[in-house]
Amino acid sequence: MSNLLTVTDLKMHFSGVKAVDGVSFSVEEGSLLGIIGPNGSGKTTVYNALTGVYTPTSGQVMFDGKDITGKPMYSMVRYGIARTFQNLRHYRGMTVLENVMMGNYSNDRSGFVDALFHTPKFKKYWKETKERAREVLELVHLEDKANEYVGSLPYGLQKRVELCRALITDPKLLMLDEPTAGLNLSEASELIHSVMEVKEKRHLTVTMIEHNMKVMMSSSDHIIVLDSGKKIAEGLPAEIQQNELVISAYLGKGVGRHAS
């Protein structure tokens, strides 16, 4: 397998603060890369620098053979990259189906006039988007919730709706930022099961920031560890579990025992 994503010497500095300081890594096509580290280690900043939320201070980001360094966030969908965020970004007064459909807005090629007068171009986009939304909901077993309001759903199901909003763009790379945050053990297990199921069915490449070490060790093919903006370790989950520096300084004593 070839690398779908290659990050080289990525730096993101803010007024002298080195939030990301020379981080390099690659993600093999079809794999799941886990990114871990303590709060403030630079994990989400790496995501933001990769996906156009921030323009990197320096470094290079290659995706699927294209240099996407510094490309704006709205263009990421067209390259084949979708991500979720730590905080849910739902429209609570809209249905599940409508929320998932909103995730496809970047693929809307109709204009204001098309929407205003419901031209054939707009109707075609709307019909196709609704069909894609229903397919994604079925994929994560939420089809029975399609007409319910997002705000009325348990938090665990709202997290799965967020996953659907990313999947509707049919990405090559899915970037998950703390997908199990705020979930109980059962909800976290169900969400990760959905992620792994979708990954296999759609042949996705996945990166995941996560504090739940049990989830990370059981689902990742490869893991990198960040601290203070630097990569301080990388390897297979079993190697990370046994890395004394990681265990003692960043994950806490006994993580290797509890994460297995």
Side-chain angles (χ1 to χ4, degrees), residues 29-212:
E29 187 174 359
S31 70
L32 193 155
L33 173 74
I35 304 174
I36 64 175
N39 289 331
S41 60
K43 303 182 299 295
T44 296
T45 305
V46 167
Y47 263 28
N48 288 340
L50 297 182
T51 59
V53 177
Y54 302 142
T55 300
T57 303
S58 63
Q60 185 180 54
V61 182
M62 296 293 296
F63 178 76
D64 199 20
K66 303 178 184 67
D67 188 342
I68 65 167
T69 312
K71 298 294 184 184
M73 184 168 60
Y74 65 78
S75 69
M76 291 299 144
V77 168
R78 297 174 191 175
Y79 285 109
I81 299 173
R83 67 170 288 188
T84 63
F85 292 82
Q86 290 182 23
N87 300 317
L88 295 178
R89 299 189 171 192
H90 296 319
Y91 300 95
R92 295 176 59 82
M94 297 172 67
T95 67
V96 168
L97 181 65
E98 290 167 340
N99 266 275
V100 177
M101 290 175 67
M102 290 296 291
N104 197 44
Y105 73 93
S106 294
N107 288 322
D108 185 4
R109 299 295 181 268
S110 60
F112 173 75
V113 174
D114 295 303
L116 182 64
F117 294 103
H118 284 210
T119 63
K121 185 178 182 180
F122 175 79
K123 289 179 180 178
K124 181 175 183 292
Y125 160 76
W126 194 254
K127 180 175 181 292
E128 290 176 349
T129 297
K130 183 176 287 189
E131 290 173 352
R132 291 172 68 173
R134 291 192 182 280
E135 288 174 2
V136 170
L137 287 172
E138 184 176 353
L139 193 63
V140 299
H141 313 293
L142 280 180
E143 64 271 23
D144 60 327
K145 305 294 183 184
N147 296 318
E148 295 188 26
Y149 290 104
V150 168
S152 70
L153 296 180
Y155 190 69
L157 293 185
Q158 291 188 37
K159 282 275 191 172
R160 286 160 67 183
V161 174
E162 178 82 353
L163 174 63
C164 289
R165 281 165 56 90
L167 291 173
I168 194 175
T169 63
D170 196 21
K172 297 177 183 177
L173 174 65
L174 177 63
M175 301 176 65
L176 304 174
D177 193 350
E178 299 281 7
T180 71
L183 303 184
N184 60 38
L185 290 176
S186 176
E187 291 170 334
S189 177
E190 290 175 0
L191 179 63
I192 295 302
H193 177 76
S194 292
V195 170
M196 301 306 289
E197 189 176 18
V198 171
K199 176 180 176 292
E200 294 305 313
K201 287 183 177 179
R202 292 208 167 182
H203 308 290
L204 284 173
T205 303
V206 180
T207 64
M208 182 164 64
I209 295 171
E210 183 55 68
H211 280 296
N212 186 322

